[in-house]
């Protein structure tokens, strides 16, 4: 089971869109996936459209017992491959900024029980996606402690570098203090307009700062994403040219994320000068039957 925390410390960059897109791509691959909705806005839960549950993630974080966890997980409206550990607005009450370290471990303890909850005829979860709120309180820290990898989300805007840098520093801090097995998987740039000079400039700025930590596959800005979410459907099922373009990018992003987590990785070095890594090979981690969706 691979556990990935998806985070940004700046709101409105499409973090939940990336979580839902990766879940859609995993469903396409036949990989059973659990989405854990840690954001009190509960947008992931709303789009996944699960049946009502007797408990929520807020209850799990208060009492991480198997029975409570079982009551908080539901099959999504997308199909049997995607489940959701449903969110709640009550999570905001648990998002204190200076939590007791023992409370930070409750999510990890709960997720360790997942394998024991499955019946004999159920496949195990292959991927767990943790949708974090855009703040560094108990909820995000709990996710980073429970995760094996962290995917940082940003947009090609003026504050992209500073926002991604703060998220990267948060990942490094949690890895040093709580979870030495946690690795930053990369920075994914969302809502890119390939013809925008400003977007290309900001992407280059990110690459100069983060080097090959910036994913070579960026997500294009397409109306189909909002349309699919509004219809509570996975992007792969929407069926428009824009959705197919986004879906292909998400397939490649998921493949790269899973490949990165399957092998040991050295800690990345963030660049502080003009020494840009010009040796990126966008096709290095891509299946031969798929072409790269580049950001420009």
């Amino acid at each position: 089971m691979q556990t990935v925390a998806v985070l940004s410390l700046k709101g409105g960059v499409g973090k939940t869109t990336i979580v839902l897109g990766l879940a859609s791509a995993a469903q396409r691959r036949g990989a059973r996936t659990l989405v854990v909705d840690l954001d009190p806005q509960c947008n992931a839960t709303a789009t996944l459209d699960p049946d009502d549950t007797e408990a929520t993630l807020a209850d799990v974080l208060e009492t991480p017992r198997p029975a409570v966890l079982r009551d908080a997980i539901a099959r999504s409206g997308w199909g049997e491959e995607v489940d959701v550990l449903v969110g709640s607005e009550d999570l905001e009450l648990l998002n204190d900024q200076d939590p007791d370290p023992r409370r930070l471990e409750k999510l990890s303890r709960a997720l360790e029980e997942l394998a024991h909850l499955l019946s004999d005829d159920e496949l195990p979860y292959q991927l767990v996606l943790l949708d974090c709120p855009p703040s560094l309180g108990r909820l995000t820290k709990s996710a980073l402690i429970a995760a094996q990898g962290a995917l940082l989300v940003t947009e090609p805007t003026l504050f992209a570098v500073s926002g991604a840098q703060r998220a990267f520093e948060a990942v490094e801090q949690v890895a040093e203090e709580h979870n030495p097995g946690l690795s930053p998987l990369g920075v994914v740039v969302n809502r890119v307009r390939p013809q925008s000079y400003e977007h290309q400039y900001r992407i280059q700025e990110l690459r100069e700062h983060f080097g090959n930590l910036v994913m070579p596959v960026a997500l294009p800005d397409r109306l189909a994403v909002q349309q699919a979410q509004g219809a509570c459907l996975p992007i792969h099922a929407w069926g428009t040219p824009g959705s197919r373009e986004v879906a292909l990018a998400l397939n490649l992003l998921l493949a790269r994320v899973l490949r990165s987590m399957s092998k040991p990785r050295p800690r990345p070095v963030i660049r502080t000068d003009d020494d840009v890594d010009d040796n990126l090979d966008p096709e290095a981690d891509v299946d031969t039957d798929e072409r790269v969706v580049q950001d420009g």
Side-chain angles (χ1 to χ4, degrees), residues 38 166 225:
L38 287 144
R166 289 190 298 115
V225 173

Side-chain angles (χ1 to χ4, degrees), residues 171-191:
V171 172
E172 291 288 275
Q173 181 181 358
V174 170
E176 181 178 348
E177 297 178 358
H178 301 283
N179 182 7
L182 176 67
S183 296
L185 300 175
V187 178
V188 57
V189 188
N190 189 34
R191 295 175 182 159

Side-chain angles (χ1 to χ4, degrees), residues 188-206:
V188 57
V189 188
N190 189 34
R191 295 175 182 159
V192 173
R193 295 193 296 274
Q195 304 306 316
S196 168
Y197 174 81
E198 172 68 13
H199 282 198
Q200 296 307 313
Y201 177 83
R202 297 304 174 188
I203 291 171
Q204 182 61 29
E205 190 176 47
L206 283 163

